[in-house]
Amino acid sequence: MTVEDQVRELCRRWAAAEQLEDVAALNDLTVPDFTLVGPAGFVLDKGAWLDRYRNGALRTTSIVWEDHVTVRDYGAAAIAIGRYVQEAEYQGNKADGRFRSTHVAVERDGRWLLAGLHLSTSVGP
């Protein structure tokens, strides 16, 4: 499997774990110092990111990729960019949206893991 294929698979597994609210899988897919930058500019470290599922604040019911995910391979790091539609609730409020997503992946001990995720609201094609 190519690096591009492995990173796309990592993105697929991330989306599946988010939909299942699978904290253990999300923890396993990320490096210890993982950071999320949300679509409104907020920044969450790994613990705060996972806590949204642990405490039930975030409920993700669907993540569907719209675009082909493009991957740039930099050896032990890769950048994946795609767009997806999310159906979710945060603290009981709708958190649906279309997001452009940049995944930063790093290879550690032969496995690709997420080091960072940056989301922005996506409008238009």
Side-chain angles (χ1 to χ4, degrees):
M1 207 186 315
T2 67
V3 168
E4 290 84 1
D5 291 338
Q6 292 176 66
V7 172
R8 282 189 191 99
E9 175 64 13
L10 174 61
C11 293
R12 187 201 62 74
R13 291 176 56 216
W14 160 80
E18 288 265 359
Q19 286 181 81
L20 294 171
E21 301 170 16
D22 187 341
V23 173
L26 291 169
N27 183 60
D28 188 51
L29 292 172
T30 53
V31 297
D33 60 348
F34 170 86
T35 302
L36 167 84
V37 178
F42 59 87
V43 178
L44 300 176
D45 65 17
K46 185 173 182 173
W49 176 65
L50 293 173
D51 283 347
R52 300 172 312 152
Y53 284 121
R54 284 188 187 113
N55 64 24
L58 181 62
R59 307 283 321 211
T60 301
T61 55
S62 177
I63 294 178
V64 178
W65 289 101
E66 286 188 331
D67 288 345
H68 175 73
V69 176
T70 60
V71 177
R72 295 189 319 248
D73 176 4
Y74 296 101
I79 306 292
I81 299 174
R83 187 170 62 189
Y84 68 89
V85 176
Q86 168 183 291
E87 292 179 14
E89 287 186 0
Y90 181 71
Q91 297 180 336
N93 299 304
K94 279 200 166 283
D96 297 349
R98 176 176 283 129
F99 302 99
R100 181 68 62 188
S101 176
T102 302
H103 290 70
V104 178
V106 294
E107 187 179 20
R108 298 278 168 87
D109 299 321
R111 289 184 63 214
W112 284 96
L113 301 170
L114 290 174
L117 182 56
H118 185 266
L119 305 174
S120 62
T121 304
S122 179
V123 293

